[in-house]
Amino acid sequence: QVQLVESGGGLVQAGGSLRLSCVASGSIRSIADMGWYRQAPGNQRELVADITSGGSANYADSVKGRFTISRDDVFRTVYLQMNSLKPEDTAVYYCNADVRTLALLSDWDDYWGQGTQVTVSS
């Protein structure tokens, strides 16, 4: 009973910006790491950025200096601010979170959102 819902994707020109949001909801006890992944057609899903519960962020080399990941634990939301977008950033972006549910004996499990399309035109 855990859902991750992404929003904020769309069509943007090269050099433009988008801000993605992912809200976690459901029977959640705690959330550890959260991250953003992307997958272009014919490619493997790759890590874009992730952030620990303590706020430490990690970025793929291809997005360093352009993207910023952040989180708001009150609203159980992770954001990805994407600036200076390039056509090669075009992909479906997926939110990921390590979640422990409210079940007494629950362990940490990996959850995924359904994805949001980001298209960058040249």
Side-chain angles (χ1 to χ4, degrees):
Q1 199 179 14
V2 175
Q3 288 185 294
L4 303 179
V5 180
E6 304 98 333
S7 62
L11 175 64
V12 65
Q13 291 184 314
S17 297
L18 287 173
R19 186 173 179 86
L20 306 183
S21 300
C22 171
V23 180
S25 62
S27 301
I28 296 171
R29 183 185 301 278
S30 184
I31 303 175
D33 293 356
M34 303 184 79
W36 289 95
Y37 293 71
R38 67 187 181 188
Q39 187 169 21
N43 292 336
Q44 299 269 24
R45 186 172 298 186
E46 64 176 357
L47 174 69
V48 178
D50 58 16
I51 185 167
T52 69
S53 59
S56 297
N58 176 63
Y59 299 92
D61 288 341
S62 60
V63 307
K64 285 181 179 177
R66 300 189 297 121
F67 292 8
T68 303
I69 189 170
S70 60
R71 64 191 288 167
D72 185 338
D73 290 327
V74 173
F75 293 97
R76 292 173 170 168
T77 303
V78 62
Y79 303 94
L80 186 67
Q81 177 66 47
M82 305 186 294
N83 298 326
S84 302
L85 283 162
K86 303 175 180 179
E88 50 263 45
D89 295 319
T90 296
V92 177
Y93 284 70
Y94 296 91
C95 178
N96 173 263
D98 295 326
V99 177
R100 189 184 179 199
T101 70
L102 291 174
L104 181 62
L105 300 179
S106 67
D107 200 357
W108 295 96
D109 289 306
D110 203 33
Y111 290 87
W112 293 89
Q114 294 187 206
T116 184
Q117 177 70 49
V118 172
T119 303
V120 184
S121 62
S122 60

